[in-house]
Amino acid sequence: MRELLRDHTTLRLGGPATAWVRATSEQELVEAMSSIEGPLLVLGGGSNVVVADDGFDGTVVEVATSGVRADIEGEDPTCGGAMVTVAAGESWEDLVAQAVEREWIGVEALSGIPGLVGATPIQNVGAYGQEVAQTIAQVRVWDRVLMGVRTFANADCGFGYRTSRFKADPERHVVLDVTFQFRQGNLGAPVEYAELARTLGVDLGQRAPLADVREAVLELRRSKGMVLDPDDHDTWSAGSFFTNPVVDEAGLPDGAPAWPQEDGRVKTSAAWLIEQAGFHKGYGAGPVGLSTKHTLALTNRGGATTEQLLALAREVRDGVEATHGIRLVNEPVLVGCQL
Ligand SMILES: Cc1cc2nc3c(=O)[nH]c(=O)nc-3n(C[C@H](O)[C@H](O)[C@H](O)COP(=O)(O)OP(=O)(O)OC[C@H]3O[C@@H](n4cnc5c(N)ncnc54)[C@H](O)[C@@H]3O)c2cc1C
C-alpha cells in the first residue's frame, strides 16, 4: 500500500507518494540521493509543508538519522563554548530541551517548535527574538548537483528572515547534520522580544534563567496553539502560514507595527494585516479555518482537503492585498500545489 503524506504532516493533508524511503543512517541518506531517479522530496517532521491532495509523484525520502556529538571546550564551563553536531533526523524540540538541561545558551526561545534539526537551517527557524542563524556554526549537506558532501560555514549559508541559500535553491541541498556553537551558562541570551520579556518580568535586553525562558516560551506558544497537540485542532497547522512582509515605510498602513530592517525598509506583522482586513481568529466555515488562538495559522479542523486549505489561504491573501496593497507570501513549502 502506498504511504500517504497526510500521515506524515502536521496539517494531516496530502495524498500518496509513489515510493517511500526511510533513511536511518547518513549512508542510507546519501545512497538514496545518489540512486533515486526522478522527483524526490526530502521530508523531516512534515511541519512546514503543504502537500497536494494528489500526493507526490516521486520518491519521498524520510530523514530518520540520529546522533548528537558535543565537544565541550575549556575546563571552566562558564568560559568555554560547546560545539554540538546534530544529525538532521534528530527532533528539534529534544535538542532544545537538552540544550537547556546542559546549559547551552542560544536556542531556549526556540522551544516548542516542531520538526527536525535538518530542516531548521532551510528557513532559518526563528521565534521570540531568536533564530537558528545565531547559533549555527556550519551546515553539512549532500549537494545533489555536484554529487558530493559540502560544508557551509554560517556566513556562506545566506541566512535571512525565514530564508537561506538552501531555501533559495530548492531541492539542491540535503542537510546531513548541523553544528551549533553555544556559549555556556545558566542564563539565557538577552531577551529580545517584548511579549517574552513581559512574561518573564524582565526588561528587553536583560537575561533570565534558561529554564525560565523555555517555560515562558512554551506557555506563550501553548496559549496560541503553537505547540503540537493531537487533541487540539488549532495545532493541526504548518505554524504561521504567511511570513511577515518587509515593505518600504511609505507603503505601511496607518497604525501597523513596524520593525526597522538593515536595508532601510520595515517589517510589519502579517497577523495585524490579516486582522485589519477582517479575518479574525476562528474565521472560516467547514473543515478549514484560521486557528481560534492565532490569526496566522491556517488549520485543518478535521477531514479537510489541501484544496480547501489553499482556497482559504487565497481568500486571506487576496483580502489583505485588496485592503492594504500588500501581498502576503506563504511560509510553508508547497509540494505539488500552488497558492
Ligand atoms: C504548530 C507549529 C508551530 C511552528 N512554529 C514555528 C516557529 O515558531 N518558527 C518557525 O520558524 N517555524 C515554525 N513552524 C514551522 C516548522 O516547524 C519549521 O519550519 C520546522 O523547521 C520544519 O521542520 P520539519 O522537519 O517538519 O520540516 P518539513 O516540513 O519536513 O520540511 C520543510 C522543508 O524543508 C525541507 N527539508 C526538511 N529536512 C531537510 C533536510 N534534512 N535537508 C534538506 N531539506 C530538508 C523539506 O524538503 C521542505 O522543503 C511551526 C510549525 C507548526 C506546525
Side-chain angles (χ1 to χ4, degrees), residues 39-299:
L40 191 153
L41 171 66
V42 178
L43 192 71
S47 63
N48 212 26
V49 284
V50 179
V51 184
D53 294 314
D54 288 345
F56 182 67
D57 189 13
T59 307
V60 172
V61 177
E62 183 186 351
V63 181
T65 55
S66 56
V68 179
R69 197 184 69 240
D71 297 320
I72 313 293
E73 292 167 16
E75 294 293 304
D76 178 356
T78 58
C79 311
M83 292 292 277
V84 183
T85 299
V86 190
E90 289 283 344
S91 143
W92 172 254
E93 168 61 1
D94 288 355
L95 177 68
V96 176
Q98 186 178 157
V100 168
E101 178 76 30
R102 297 180 70 171
E103 302 197 334
W104 299 335
I105 301 166
V107 287
E108 57 283 354
L110 302 176
S111 295
I113 298 179
L116 306 184
V117 169
T120 58
I122 307 293
Q123 71 154 2
N124 180 20
V125 157
Y128 295 97
Q130 278 180 359
E131 52 184 30
V132 287
Q134 294 166 328
T135 41
I136 286 179
Q138 63 180 44
V139 179
R140 208 164 58 87
V141 304
W142 175 261
D143 183 328
R144 293 179 62 204
V145 173
L146 299 179
M147 295 295 276
V149 174
R150 295 173 75 188
T151 300
F152 293 103
N154 180 305
D156 299 321
C157 290
F159 286 131
Y161 166 62
R162 290 302 91 79
T163 191
S164 69
R165 76 179 298 155
F166 314 115
K167 185 151 185 179
D169 193 359
E171 294 169 26
R172 173 164 181 174
H173 304 99
V174 181
V175 176
L176 302 174
D177 60 38
V178 183
T179 301
F180 297 86
Q181 183 165 24
F182 297 120
R183 284 179 299 109
Q184 290 182 272
N186 55 17
L187 289 180
V191 176
E192 304 291 353
Y193 199 84
E195 188 185 26
L196 178 58
R198 272 198 305 278
T199 307
L200 285 162
V202 299
D203 290 332
L204 269 182
Q206 275 192 335
R207 302 173 68 188
L210 282 172
D212 292 1
V213 177
R214 175 168 163 73
E215 276 319 305
V217 167
L218 286 174
E219 185 189 317
L220 283 168
R221 291 186 69 93
R222 279 194 200 102
S223 72
K224 297 174 187 175
M226 283 289 160
V227 177
L228 292 185
D229 173 354
D231 296 328
D232 180 357
H233 282 265
D234 279 335
T235 76
W236 290 29
S237 76
S240 301
F241 198 89
F242 298 105
T243 52
N244 288 325
V246 177
V247 297
D248 291 330
E249 203 161 353
L252 200 65
D254 283 346
W259 299 283
Q261 301 297 291
E262 278 173 7
D263 63 3
R265 295 188 300 161
V266 288
K267 185 158 81 182
T268 188
S269 160
W272 187 93
L273 296 172
I274 293 171
E275 285 276 350
Q276 297 298 313
F279 303 101
H280 303 296
K281 288 175 188 150
Y283 178 87
V288 293
L290 301 187
S291 159
T292 63
K293 305 184 185 78
H294 191 29
T295 326
L296 256 189
L298 272 62
T299 64

